[in-house]
Amino acid sequence: MMDLALFRLPDGKAWIGEGPFAEAAEPPPGDAFYVNDFALSSPTPWKIPSRLTEVPAGALPEHFSVTKIQPRIVWQKPATEWFKMAFRRIRKDVLSHKLRKMVPVLTESGTVMGQSGQADLTPLLNRVMDAPLGLWGYARIEGKKGFLGATPELLLRKEGSRLETMALAGTAKPNGRESFVTDAKEIEEHELVAGFLQDALAPLGKVQRGPRQTSEAAGLTHFRTEVAVELEGNPDLNSLVRRLHPTPAVGCLPRDAASLEKLSEYRRQLQAPEFFGAPFGLKIGNTFHAVVSIRGIGWDGDKVMLSSGCGIVGGSAFDHEWRELRLKRESVARLLGL
């Protein structure tokens, strides 16, 4: 059975780790993957491969016998009732100033046809490797279950004393860019994320915040703000992940215990996969990359999950958010050829 982790940079270069994997609570001296769930509940998130292969852009190692036959998945349309209830409750809390933002997750379920209880989704590794430049690819496969995708969102990159991150929030179709750049709701949603990152990094050193820009990724347009800090100390990587995750782009604001518990409850009710929105990373040499694992799918046996999230703020409207959720899932389906 396949035991594998993959991390691809936006320039297409990637690393593939093969098992069995050793596990560690703290970053090891050598190269390792960082794999955790959304709640950061793993006591040993560092996965050290038995074999690590650097892969040039657009190619899988020759010893991988990955078929190119795409899986056929029959999808079930997601029901609106539970999400509509969550939307109404969250928006009520926002309007009463109990929350500033929260991101519920809607999951569409599917079944891989022609499989006898265990889907072969390894062909999608080719799709991750061939994803458009500018996206980070990720994958973790353990026997009959796994997840993979190509995300536009960096959680953090640390090299030496410099840490870089980004606010990526606010979504529109590329052909809606003209109205998008002046959309008050989308700007508010984005600025909450950018402000959070700036405040979270301020205790660590001098923060540099770039201008709000538009960024296109896999058929969607987003607002994007680059944020960086020159670290005055040497915080450990686990603490940096905990400091930033979850950002309000996939979580909530304020990020206090009560709000995080509400977020967790909504994710359970809406059956969000544990990997969705979680940090996924690779420590290679003296550089650590960690991304937000969105725009992907997860599976267990022949059951497949395709999730999308949306940020609810005071100006949110249900029909708009429902459409955004669909657009995000459709972009994943196009990217992976589903």
Side-chain angles (χ1 to χ4, degrees):
M1 283 191 171
M2 186 170 285
D3 188 9
L4 170 151
L6 177 149
F7 190 90
R8 197 203 83 158
L9 297 177
D11 64 5
K13 184 170 71 173
W15 287 264
I16 295 182
E18 298 171 71
F21 287 79
E23 298 185 332
E26 301 296 331
D31 303 330
F33 292 86
Y34 180 92
V35 186
N36 214 329
D37 58 19
F38 188 86
L40 302 184
S41 66
S42 172
T44 53
W46 296 94
K47 314 300 180 184
I48 306 163
S50 298
R51 176 179 181 179
L52 184 66
T53 305
E54 183 176 325
V55 186
L60 286 171
E62 292 183 359
H63 66 278
F64 277 94
S65 57
V66 176
T67 174
K68 293 187 177 181
I69 300 174
Q70 286 289 108
R72 187 168 70 89
I73 302 174
V74 176
W75 296 99
Q76 299 174 356
K77 289 186 177 180
T80 62
E81 290 77 14
W82 280 102
F83 183 81
K84 187 173 287 187
M85 178 193 71
F87 173 87
R88 288 173 175 169
R89 289 181 177 177
I90 294 170
R91 189 164 184 270
K92 181 180 178 181
D93 284 343
V94 171
L95 294 176
S96 63
H97 304 293
K98 295 178 182 178
L99 286 172
R100 298 184 70 190
K101 180 183 178 182
M102 185 167 281
V103 181
V105 175
L106 182 71
T107 298
E108 188 171 352
S109 299
T111 303
V112 182
M113 304 307 294
Q115 305 285 343
S116 56
Q118 181 174 331
D120 180 13
L121 295 176
T122 56
L124 300 184
L125 289 171
N126 289 308
R127 291 281 185 163
V128 173
M129 286 297 297
D130 293 337
L133 299 182
L135 299 176
W136 287 266
Y138 63 91
R140 179 73 175 109
I141 301 175
E142 299 177 86
K144 70 174 185 177
K145 64 181 181 179
F147 59 88
L148 54 76
T151 176
E153 188 169 357
L154 176 71
L155 179 67
L156 70 95
R157 178 180 184 272
K158 181 183 181 293
E159 184 173 13
S161 63
R162 183 172 177 82
L163 184 151
E164 299 170 350
T165 183
M166 67 165 65
L168 191 81
T171 304
K173 289 183 177 180
N175 59 12
R177 182 182 181 281
E178 186 174 342
S179 59
F180 173 68
V181 295
T182 58
D183 189 309
K185 180 265 176 185
E186 301 294 346
I187 292 173
E188 177 190 7
E189 181 182 345
H190 178 82
E191 289 300 315
L192 288 175
V193 180
F196 164 83
L197 292 174
Q198 192 169 359
D199 292 344
L201 294 178
L204 302 182
K206 184 178 180 180
V207 178
Q208 304 153 7
R209 174 176 169 172
R212 184 177 68 244
Q213 301 175 340
T214 58
S215 174
E216 292 192 12
L220 296 175
T221 298
H222 305 284
F223 284 128
R224 173 172 170 162
T225 298
E226 307 285 348
V227 183
V229 61
E230 290 296 332
L231 298 168
E232 294 177 352
N234 188 28
D236 70 273
L237 298 180
N238 284 346
S239 71
L240 290 175
V241 171
R242 288 193 298 269
R243 176 174 287 272
L244 295 180
H245 174 81
T247 77
V250 292
C252 57
L253 196 68
R255 205 179 69 170
D256 54 27
S259 299
L260 287 171
E261 179 55 38
K262 282 189 177 182
L263 175 66
S264 178
E265 180 61 29
Y266 286 127
R267 286 178 63 98
R268 286 194 295 269
Q269 289 175 350
L270 295 169
Q271 299 181 337
E274 292 183 348
F275 85 89
F276 184 78
F280 187 98
L282 174 68
K283 176 180 174 287
I284 191 82
N286 68 344
T287 303
F288 176 55
H289 310 263
V291 299
V292 181
S293 50
I294 56 175
R295 309 297 161 81
I297 64 166
W299 67 92
D300 191 346
D302 60 356
K303 303 303 179 185
V304 186
M305 300 150 285
L306 171 54
S307 300
S308 55
C310 63
I312 298 176
V313 294
S316 298
F318 179 80
D319 289 345
H320 177 91
E321 304 303 332
W322 188 256
R323 182 168 58 252
E324 178 180 320
L325 293 168
R326 176 178 55 80
L327 288 173
K328 289 176 176 176
R329 294 196 308 279
E330 288 175 351
S331 75
V332 175
R334 285 193 303 271
L335 183 75
L336 298 179
L338 302 177

